[in-house]
Amino acid sequence: MRPQLVDGHGRDIGDVRISVTDRCNFRCQYCMPAEGLPWLDRKDILTYEEIARVAGLLASMGVHDVRLTGGEPLARRELWKLVEMLSADGNIHDLSLTTNGYLLERQVEQLVRAGLRRVNVSLDALAPDRFFQLTRRNSLQQVLSSLAAAEKYPELRPIKVNVVALKDFTEDEVVAFAEFARKHPYEVRFIEFMPLDGDRNWSRDRVLPNAEVRRLIHAAYPLKDLGRERHGTSRRWEFADGQGSIGFISPVSEPFCGDCNRIRITAEGELRTCLFSMTETDLREPLRNGASDAELEALIRAAVWEKELKHHVNDEGFVQPLRTMSQIGG
């Protein structure tokens, strides 16, 4: 084992989100333009072997939690092979996947067999017409079927359902999602809309604060506060009668940057220390030019040392990053 990876503010880095592709089969309004984005060439994307090497190096520095993201990660062929590589690394303690769910049902058995242990499924509406309005795809039933398929595997726990909350849209879905959480072994998590959309139409007026979401749920089903774990993004609540749980991720109204322990690697191998970073560190070229583990380690440590203390979404003069969420890795 190598010394713990730390940033210049004294935070131990323990979590990496690795994007395996920028491609996606949905066109969610908070993420991508309706016409999509130009895709990376295949040669520009890290290979599974390159990803496994970087993840293994990070894990040896104490970054024990790995989440695979995209784009839509299951759009990349035979993702189970990468899961198998990563799950074989004893230094990787938690291996999870964030997906829109469209392709999960047909792949879940292979993924679990390969060693996947947790899954987050994006689901922003339970009414078919509203699902289509937000994702620009008529695919609600496929996502619900995938959740049901994942539920059959007790190895995949907890199953988290991510709901991006948009003002004047999500309010009508809130109580339905609370009932959804009560009926299934899911943690339904409401995520405040962040300025990472492809249309660059974000404004604070479009953010539905989680305090309002919580008020709407509590009026129907009283909640008990379970708090937020250190380094966690979600403040969790359970229903007063003990069924199901709700999470609130509030990066706009209640930032949790102070104990952030996450870094990100984009599909083409750029290391980002914050979702809203304005700079990146290229790992792909050193990987392909024969850099040793020691050289890669030094490069990573130098970049992470400069990790931002906080994002500046709430500051005057905030500048939205050029990359969208799909290009960074959700």
Side-chain angles (χ1 to χ4, degrees), residues 68 79-88 95 111 114-116:
L68 302 178
L79 186 68
W80 66 268
K81 289 185 176 179
L82 175 60
V83 171
E84 195 170 65
M85 290 178 188
L86 298 176
S87 66
L95 180 57
L111 291 166
L116 187 69

Side-chain angles (χ1 to χ4, degrees), residues 34-55:
E35 67 276 10
L37 293 163
W39 304 132
L40 293 167
D41 288 338
R42 186 178 182 86
K43 63 180 175 55
D44 294 329
I45 294 176
L46 294 185
T47 66
Y48 286 167
E49 290 75 16
E50 289 167 338
I51 292 172
R53 184 182 173 197
V54 172

